[in-house]
Every structure is written in C-alpha cells, then in structure tokens.
C-alpha cells in the first residue's frame, strides 16, 4: 500500500463499485445503491450527505448503470458545485456534470439561443442594482443604498416566484413576508427595470432561469435534446429550491423519475429569496413510489453540540419542525457549549478574541475557528478585536481562491518553473517538491513568517502560504511527484474550484456559513432584535430565525461559544436581553426543557409503493459463524468475518460465475454489474431456497431479484438452465 492510498487529501481512485461503498454507514450505503426511481434523502446537519450522494453517483458510474455524461448534479453555490466535482473526480466519476442551477441553465441557454431565438444571447448583467437605481430615479424615487438593496431583493423574489410587475402587490399581500416599502412603488420600479433591460438588450441572473424555462416549454425539440443528454438528476440542498427552479427541474426531467433529492427542512434559511421546503416535504406526495432515506448519524459534532442543536429545534413550531431529524452524534464527548454575557459589544468582541487566542495557543488552527454573526455590519468590531490580538482572519464572501490575482500569478510562475525543470536557477538549492514551491513563490511575496498586521499584504501572503501547505501535503501523499504533477493538480483543483485552506479565523454571517464547518464556532450578538432579527414578526419568520441559529450551532465540531452584549457601546444602559432561542437551553433561563418535547424523526429507510411501512435504524449485523459485529462492506455481504470458516459450495460457485459471465456478455456490461464476486460467494455459501432467502443477501436488490432470481434459485437447486436469454422481470 502506498502513501497515496492512505492520504485523505489525495485518495486513490476506487477500482470497483464495492470499493466505492467502503466506509459508508448503512443508511449512506442505501443512498449509494438506490440507483433507480425517485429517491429522497432527508439528511441532518453533519450526517455526510455530500459523501452519500457523490458515492451514489460514483457507484452508479463504476457499476455501468449511470453513464457519466448522462448525470447532472445540481446545487446552489459555486463552492458546493466545485466541492462536488472534486469529490467525484477522486471517486473516478470525473465526467459527471456538477453545476449550480444558474450555471447549468446558462450553458443550455447559450447553446440553444441561436436555434430557438436567433442571434447572440443578450449580455448578462453582473449587478442589477445600478439599473434598479436608474429605474427608481425615473419613477422620481430617491433611494439610499439600503433601500436600493431592499427593492432589488423584492425584484429577485418576484422573478423566482414567477410574479410579473403588475401582480407584485397582490403576491406580497398573499405571502407571509412583509414588504420593505410600498408595494405599488416597488411594482413601478420593477416594471421600469424590466423595460430598461429590454431597451439595452441585457438579462439578469433570474432571466437565465426564466428564459431557459421558456425555451424548454415552447420548443419540444430542444427539450428532447436536453433530455437525451441528461437522464439522471441529483439535487442537493433541495429545501432551498424556488418555484422557478422546481419548474426548470420538472422540464429537465420531462416526466421521468430518475431523480435523487437531498435536503433538510430544518436548514431552510433562504425564504427571502423565494426558497421553500414544500417541494422537499411534498416529495412523497408527488412520488408515492419513492425511496426515502433518513441520515441522522452526525459525524461532525460532539454529543454536547448535538444535544444543544436538538434542544434548539425541540422548541420549534410549524411544518418544518414536524419533520425535523433528531441527530445522534458519532463522535467522542467534548466540552460543553459555553455561554458568555458581556457589558457591551466591544467587550464581547475583545472577550471573543481572547478566547480565540487561547484556542490558538492550545493548538487549534486558525482555519478551524469561525466567528458567526447575524448581519454583516457586526463584523467590524470583531475585525478590530482580532487585529489588536494579533490573530489572522479572513472575511467570508471574498473572491474565489483560484481567481485571486496572487494565486493566478503563482500558478504562472510554478508552470514556468516546471517547464524549465533543472534549467531554472531558482531551483538550484531546492532538494524536494515543497522547497521548489517555496523557492518559486518567494519571488511572488511568500516569506517563512507572515507580515505584521492585517490588510492586503497579509491577505496575499495567506493565499501563497495556502499553496505552500498544499505542496507539502501533495509531496507527503506522493513522495515521487514532480513540480509538473503538482501544477497539473492545481489546474484540476482550479477547474473544480477545490481550493486549499487559507490559514485565518473566518468571520462570516450565519447565512454565508451554511455548508461549512469548523472545530470552534463563536456565535456572537445573540440578543433580541438581532437573533431573531427585529423585522421578523410572523411565526414563520421567527421560526426561520431559529433555523438560522440551528445552522450556526451545527457548524461546530467541538468547541461552541454563544455570547451576547447587554449594551451597544461602553457606558450605555444595558437594556438588551439574550435571545429567546436560548431559553430552556442554558442554566437558569426558564422552563420548557428540551427533553420534554416530542422527539423528531429517526434515521432509516422507507420504501416506496405508496403504503410501504417505514423501517427504523438497522440492528447491528453479526457474523453468522462467530457472532462478531460486522462493519466491513465485504464482510457484510458474506454475513461472516473474512477469516471465519467458509461452507462454500465450490461447484455452485463456479456454476454461478459461468452463468454471470454469460449474462454480462448478453447485457454488454462488466460481470460485476450482474452480481459482484462477494455477492456470488454469499449465495454459494448460504444456498438460498426461495425469494425471501435470496433477497436477504446483500447485493440482491428488488430489481436484481426480479431479473435474475429465477435463474439463481434454479442453480442453487441444482437444476439445469435452458436457453441463453437474459431473464426478464417476473413482475406482472
């Protein structure tokens, strides 16, 4: 076994479908092997949903069931799509498309526009706020920056909910949201904004989805072309789908059911953009035959953090709360979450910086720490406090790593040095790959020690330092790798937007933190009026604020600190109150124990076909010879330990292998697409006598039972098979 095989950063590509399943828990394995029909994965925070769905795609690709070019995986951010592409590449499924809804739609629109409309696609408007400002001015409205942002947000909400300008006032009145200003005024600005776009032949990001929907609806020939390309769909973060995105997804599917959706209603935090969990919660209504898998094993957070997260949701109300998942931590115990009260905001920021300094001194890396707040305006006091404490930090939401100027320059320099090889004098004293990288990047501003303070110089150094660390990790995983191979790896990562870690404490809003995790999380500013935010009035809005705090809590792996300040500035009267969401969770904060509330849903699998009964968490699988609990995928298939005595019927095993080879030839697929070696071994050892016994063997699903069951049972009974045709389904 080579070092690369053990490296979590550069794992070896699996060489078989079974290898893809290694290390998955029972529910994740159910997701990975459920390749037919509609599948709904209800995945709690930290339960490995991305791992489950990427392994599902890779398993299907390696098993020959999902052609890579026929799969479209969609998610909501470029970062998430980049991470998915990186994972798929490592799993041997590099040909699969993983994109955001907007990216996938724009690609299709650019390709089909000349055929559907003629000419070139109108120019994409990068930022709509300037055009909104001009539309407002023509309506004789003077809007400041915050008011412009509000109107722009209302226009975006209208478009993703497919609301035209004249219908906006009625749509707002019918929705639970509160309009930030007079709906009639917003309607006029919206109408003029659309007119200005037409006059200048530009489109915005929402138009990309709207126009793609229009083309697919109006041109059946184009819709069929798209459906011929993409036949299998995976949608991540399905709780955040807007009505417009759902319509686009339905047009892509065209009535087919090869769809896997993944989501968690308890993490719905973007309703202001038109997102709704209804599509996730109604999935079984639309697809009664769907397989539903619940992931509740939390591999991210300690039991103490998970207990707090469960307690927070136990007080929730509404439909999403009825479908909440009760997480079960799989980690060793850690410290209890800490609560901290301060006299004022500067004191809270200073106290937070001191706690962070203590964590750094204890060995927690800066990149493993985050300070999360409700609104971006809260960041400034923490930037100052961390700078005063000499703690490096990075603001979440900056440009993508591989698009930073210093990273681009570094890539050019490394590529040039790789081409020059031994002829580059820079590398004369370099003895290995990391020292070669350090020598090249020293010409671009990297130094062994970071520059003092914060600002642009420190940001540039942190980017280069991230490349230096990546080179060290790459060399450790592949000791014989050359500089040219590292450059190729960087190119692959840039294409997949799979960035290395920048060393610095993360400052981010709770919304921006979605999908991320850290060893230590500081949730700051938790006072009434901030959490929940002052403009959250209705029960639905309050519950979304609770879910937002839940997202923040579940970002923490081990250390969690929740804090608030009684006053804004030093010397002010301390009249603030801690967030109502903390009541009943911290000692002495009121009644309403979390433990007294009904528990949420447990993990497990629900089969489709309308009335199928739910199945709870599986009992441990034990070896049928010695009784030891089995966890290895291969041993689970055999129902025994690898080194336990085998009662294999060798004659039957050889007959099964010959039969499998013939079926594979007739199907035009590899033999393992019929049954894997381990499954054949398990059949030859247990010699099942009926459908029920055969179905209990791992690797014999319903479809394989229908297709191959009669032949396998005949072979087990010692009968001779007639003909060579692949058996068809026995389902009437």
């Amino acid at each position: 076994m080579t070092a690369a095989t053990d490296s979590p950063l550069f794992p070896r590509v699996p060489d078989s479908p079974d290898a893809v399943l290694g290390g998955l828990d029972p529910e994740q394995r159910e997701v990975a092997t459920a390749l037919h029909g509609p599948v709904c994965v209800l995945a709690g925070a930290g339960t490995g949903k991305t791992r489950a769905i990427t392994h599902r795609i890779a398993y299907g690709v390696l098993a020959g069931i999902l052609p890579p070019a026929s799969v479209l995986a969609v998610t909501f951010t470029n970062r998430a799509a980049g991470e998915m592409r990186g994972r798929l590449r490592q799993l041997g499924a590099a040909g699969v498309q993983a994109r955001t809804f907007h990216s996938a739609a724009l690609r299709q629109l650019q390709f089909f526009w000349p055929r559907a409309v003629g000419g070139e696609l109108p120019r994409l408007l990068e930022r709509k706020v300037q055009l909104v400002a001009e539309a407002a001015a023509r309506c004789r409205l003077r809007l400041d920056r915050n008011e412009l942002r509000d109107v722009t947000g209302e226009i975006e909400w209208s478009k993703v909910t497919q609301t035209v300008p004249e219908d906006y006032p009625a749509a707002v009145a019918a929705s639970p949201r509160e309009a930030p200003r007079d709906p009639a005024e917003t309607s006029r600005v919206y109408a003029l904004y659309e007119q200005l776009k037409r006059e200048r032949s530009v489109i915005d990001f929402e138009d990309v989805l709207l126009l793609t929907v229009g083309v697919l609806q109006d041109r059946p020939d184009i819709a069929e072309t798209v459906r011929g390309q993409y036949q299998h769909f995976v949608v991540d973060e399905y709780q955040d789908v807007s009505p417009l995105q759902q319509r686009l997804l339905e047009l892509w599917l065209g009535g087919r059911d090869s769809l896997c959706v993944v989501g968690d209603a308890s993490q719905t935090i973007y309703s202001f953009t038109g997102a709704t969990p209804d599509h996730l919660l109604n999935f079984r209504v639309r697809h009664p035959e769907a397989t539903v898998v619940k992931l509740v094993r939390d591999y991210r957070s300690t039991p103490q953090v998970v207990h707090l997260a469960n307690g927070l949701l136990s007080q929730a109300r509404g439909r999403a709360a009825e479908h909440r998942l009760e997480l079960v931590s799989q980690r060793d115990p850690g410290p209890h979450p800490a609560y901290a009260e301060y006299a004022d905001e500067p004191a809270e920021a200073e106290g937070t910086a001191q706690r962070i300094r203590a964590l750094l001194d204890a060995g927690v890396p800066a990149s493993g720490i985050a300070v999360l707040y409700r609104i971006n305006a809260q960041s400034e006091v923490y930037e100052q406090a961390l700078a005063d404490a000499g703690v490096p930090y990075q603001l979440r939401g900056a440009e993508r790593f591989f698009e930073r100027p210093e990273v681009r320059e570094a890539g050019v320099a490394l590529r040039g040095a790789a081409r020059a090889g031994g002829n580059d004098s820079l590398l004369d004293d370099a003895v290995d790959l990391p020292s070669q990288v350090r020598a090249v990047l020293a010409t671009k501003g990297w130094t062994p020690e970071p520059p003092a303070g914060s600002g642009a110089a420190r940001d540039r150094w942190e980017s280069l330092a991230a490349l230096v660390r990546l080179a060290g990790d790459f060399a450790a995983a592949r000791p014989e790798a050359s500089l040219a191979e590292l450059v190729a790896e960087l190119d692959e990562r840039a294409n997949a937007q799979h960035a290395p870690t920048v060393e610095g404490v993360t400052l981010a809003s709770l919304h921006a933190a979605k999908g991320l995790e850290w060893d230590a999380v500081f949730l700051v500013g938790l006072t009434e009026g901030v959490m929940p935010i002052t403009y959250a009035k209705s029960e639905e809005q309050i519950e979304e604020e609770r879910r937002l705090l839940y997202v923040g809590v579940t970002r923490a792996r081990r250390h969690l600190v929740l804090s608030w300040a009684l006053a804004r500035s030093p010397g002010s009267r301390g009249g603030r109150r801690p967030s109502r969401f903390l009541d009943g969770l911290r000692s002495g904060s009121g009644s309403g124990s979390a433990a007294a509330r009904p528990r949420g849903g447990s993990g497990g699998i629900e089969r489709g076909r309308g009335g199928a009964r739910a199945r709870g968490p599986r009992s441990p699988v034990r070896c049928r010879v010695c009784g030891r609990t089995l966890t290895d995928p291969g041993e689970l298939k055999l129902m025994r330990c690898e080194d336990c005595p085998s009662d294999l019927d060798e004659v039957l095993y050889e007959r099964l292998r010959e039969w499998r080879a013939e079926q594979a030839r007739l199907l035009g697929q590899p033999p393992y697409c019929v049954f894997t070696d381990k499954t054949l071994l398990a059949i030859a050892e247990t010699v099942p006598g009926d459908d029920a016994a055969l179905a209990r063997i791992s690797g014999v699903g319903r479809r394989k039972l229908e297709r191959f069951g009669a032949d396998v049972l005949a072979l087990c009974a010692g009968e001779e098979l007639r003909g060579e045709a692949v058996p068809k389904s026995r389902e009437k």
Side-chain angles (χ1 to χ4, degrees):
M1 181 178 289
T2 65
T5 304
D6 296 325
S7 170
L9 289 173
F10 306 99
R12 188 171 295 282
V13 175
D15 57 1
S16 69
D18 277 355
V20 172
L21 301 180
L24 300 182
D25 68 30
E27 291 78 32
Q28 291 172 342
R29 193 176 296 114
E30 286 286 346
V31 174
T33 55
L35 298 176
H36 300 284
V39 178
C40 179
V41 184
L42 301 177
T47 56
K49 68 178 180 63
T50 305
R51 177 180 177 82
I53 59 176
T54 52
H55 281 67
R56 176 184 186 271
I57 295 170
Y59 179 78
V61 168
L62 290 182
I65 298 171
L66 303 180
S70 74
V71 181
L72 178 59
V74 259
T75 186
F76 282 81
T77 66
N78 288 315
R79 181 198 59 78
E83 179 186 356
M84 192 175 291
R85 286 193 294 270
R87 292 200 191 192
L88 289 170
R89 179 168 64 91
Q90 293 173 345
L91 289 169
V96 171
Q97 291 292 316
R99 296 181 175 274
T100 64
F101 270 100
H102 283 87
S103 171
L106 180 59
R107 194 165 182 240
Q108 293 174 17
L109 199 60
Q110 288 170 331
F111 184 82
F112 290 110
W113 186 266
R115 175 173 155 190
V117 180
E120 291 187 2
L121 181 70
R123 180 174 60 86
L124 184 62
L125 192 65
E126 292 291 340
R127 296 181 68 248
K128 60 172 68 70
V129 68
Q130 292 177 335
L131 211 57
V132 173
E134 185 175 340
R138 290 197 185 187
C139 292
R140 298 183 178 180
L141 295 173
R142 295 175 61 89
L143 306 180
D144 63 24
R145 186 174 65 178
N146 290 330
E147 290 170 326
L148 274 174
R149 185 187 62 199
D150 288 343
V151 173
T152 300
E154 290 304 290
I155 291 173
E156 292 172 348
W157 174 83
S158 299
K159 299 184 80 164
V160 300
T161 56
Q162 303 176 79
T163 303
V164 296
E166 55 268 28
D167 293 342
Y168 169 76
V172 168
S175 75
R177 60 193 280 117
E178 288 188 16
R181 59 183 304 106
D182 181 5
E185 284 185 353
T186 300
S187 177
R188 292 202 306 274
V189 175
Y190 178 16
L192 194 51
Y193 166 76
E194 291 296 310
Q195 179 183 325
L196 289 172
K197 283 197 297 135
R198 288 192 296 271
E199 291 174 358
R200 296 175 189 182
S201 189
V202 296
I203 59 175
D204 60 27
F205 278 100
E206 289 71 40
D207 290 330
V208 170
L209 300 184
L210 284 164
L211 290 170
T212 306
V213 165
V215 168
L216 296 178
Q217 284 181 160
D218 297 342
R219 292 290 299 270
D221 57 325
I222 292 177
E224 286 308 309
T225 301
V226 172
R227 292 167 192 158
Q229 169 71 48
Y230 297 117
Q231 293 144 31
H232 309 280
F233 295 85
V234 176
V235 184
D236 194 10
E237 303 290 2
Y238 194 56
Q239 77 278 352
D240 291 331
V241 164
S242 70
L244 179 56
Q245 290 165 331
Q246 176 64 22
R247 180 60 186 142
L248 178 58
L249 178 62
E250 290 167 356
L251 287 166
W252 281 339
L253 281 164
R256 297 168 298 178
D257 67 357
S258 186
L259 171 66
C260 174
V261 301
V262 191
D264 178 9
S266 296
Q267 296 187 67
T268 305
I269 59 173
Y270 295 109
S271 67
F272 62 91
T273 68
T276 170
D278 289 346
H279 304 299
L280 175 68
L281 298 177
N282 293 335
F283 194 82
R284 280 294 288 270
V285 176
R286 297 194 311 276
H287 303 283
E289 75 281 16
T291 297
V292 178
V293 184
K294 296 179 181 179
L295 305 183
V296 298
R297 303 174 199 248
D298 188 319
Y299 297 96
R300 175 187 299 158
S301 305
T302 62
Q304 288 76 9
V305 172
V306 166
H307 178 73
L308 175 58
N310 286 337
L312 180 62
L313 280 193
S314 73
Q315 304 176 28
R317 300 177 179 179
R319 190 179 180 208
E322 294 170 2
H323 293 267
R324 72 184 182 89
L325 299 169
E326 187 88 7
L327 299 177
V328 181
S329 176
Q330 306 297 300
R331 294 195 54 180
D332 292 334
H336 286 282
Y339 299 90
E341 181 177 281
Y342 296 92
D344 51 64
E345 287 183 7
E348 183 181 8
E350 182 180 347
T352 300
Q354 290 173 352
R355 286 176 179 261
I356 289 174
R357 171 51 66 190
L359 287 173
L360 294 174
D361 293 341
V364 178
S367 60
I369 304 173
V371 178
L372 306 181
Y373 34 76
R374 176 61 181 85
I375 55 176
N376 286 317
Q378 294 172 269
S379 75
E380 184 178 1
V381 65
Y382 291 93
E383 293 179 55
Q384 187 62 53
L386 292 174
D388 291 345
V391 175
Y393 66 87
Q394 56 175 329
L395 281 170
R396 185 75 195 168
E399 61 191 326
R400 299 179 192 170
F401 181 84
F402 286 105
E403 293 176 2
R404 298 176 187 175
E406 64 271 21
V407 175
R408 288 179 177 272
E409 293 172 13
V412 171
L414 289 169
R415 193 170 291 107
R419 286 199 196 100
N423 297 322
D424 192 332
S425 59
L426 275 175
L427 307 181
D428 286 348
D429 297 325
V431 297
D432 54 16
L433 178 58
S435 60
Q436 289 177 336
V437 173
R438 290 193 295 269
V440 173
L441 297 189
T443 66
K444 299 300 175 183
W446 178 83
T447 56
E449 295 298 325
S454 58
R458 179 61 182 249
D459 291 344
R460 180 182 178 88
W461 184 90
E462 291 288 358
S463 297
L464 298 177
L467 291 174
V468 170
R469 287 192 297 274
L470 182 66
D473 293 336
F474 190 74
R478 303 179 184 176
E480 304 303 320
S482 66
L483 185 56
E485 289 173 308
L486 174 64
V487 169
E489 174 67 23
L490 292 176
D491 288 341
E492 290 275 8
R493 283 172 168 252
N495 291 334
Q497 286 300 327
H498 183 192
T501 302
V502 174
E503 199 58 45
V505 173
T506 298
L507 297 178
S509 71
L510 286 164
H511 283 102
K514 178 74 170 64
L516 304 173
E517 60 185 77
W518 295 270
D519 290 330
V521 168
F522 292 79
L523 300 175
V524 300
L526 301 182
T527 60
E528 286 290 306
V530 178
M531 177 54 70
I533 200 74
T534 184
Y535 53 74
K537 304 293 186 184
S538 67
E539 179 177 296
E540 287 188 28
Q541 292 169 329
I542 294 294
E543 288 307 316
E544 181 149 336
E545 292 288 297
R546 188 193 308 276
R547 294 194 296 269
L548 188 56
L549 181 57
Y550 171 79
V551 166
V553 168
T554 55
R555 300 310 95 192
R557 297 188 190 110
R558 181 173 175 82
H559 303 278
L560 178 62
V561 180
L562 304 93
S563 65
W564 59 93
L566 299 178
R568 180 178 179 82
S569 55
S572 301
R573 185 174 64 87
R576 291 177 170 178
R577 292 186 297 112
S579 169
R580 72 190 75 175
F581 298 145
L582 303 182
D583 291 348
L585 299 180
R586 59 190 181 95
S587 177
S589 60
S591 58
S593 169
R597 301 284 181 144
R599 296 178 66 85
S602 61
I605 301 94
E606 297 174 15
R607 300 298 179 190
R609 300 200 174 271
R613 67 183 182 89
R615 189 169 81 200
R618 291 178 170 181
S619 301
V621 178
R622 302 188 183 280
C623 172
R624 53 190 169 84
V625 179
C626 70
R628 183 178 68 85
T629 299
L630 303 176
T631 57
D632 178 78
E635 294 182 340
L636 286 167
K637 281 185 177 293
L638 295 174
M639 296 290 288
R640 64 169 177 81
C641 304
E642 286 278 8
D643 52 359
C644 276
S646 167
D647 48 1
L648 173 69
D649 184 331
E650 294 185 4
V651 174
L652 173 59
Y653 180 61
E654 287 306 317
R655 291 189 69 201
L656 286 168
R657 284 176 59 85
E658 292 172 1
W659 166 84
R660 180 184 67 171
E662 179 61 15
Q663 304 309 306
R665 184 186 68 79
L666 294 171
L667 287 168
Q669 293 182 341
Y672 59 73
C673 292
V674 181
F675 286 121
T676 64
D677 287 345
K678 284 286 173 56
T679 300
L680 290 189
L681 279 171
I683 294 171
E685 288 185 359
T686 56
V687 193
D690 54 31
D691 279 4
L694 180 58
R696 283 195 291 271
I697 296 174
S698 179
V700 183
R702 176 174 59 86
R703 291 179 182 272
K704 289 192 177 182
L705 182 65
E706 292 168 352
R707 191 163 201 179
F708 303 122
D711 273 13
V712 171
L713 291 174
L715 289 169
C716 290
E719 300 172 4
E720 293 295 330
L721 299 181
R722 295 181 181 180
E724 295 184 342
V726 178
K728 298 179 180 179
S729 171
R730 289 178 290 158
E731 185 178 29
K732 302 296 184 186

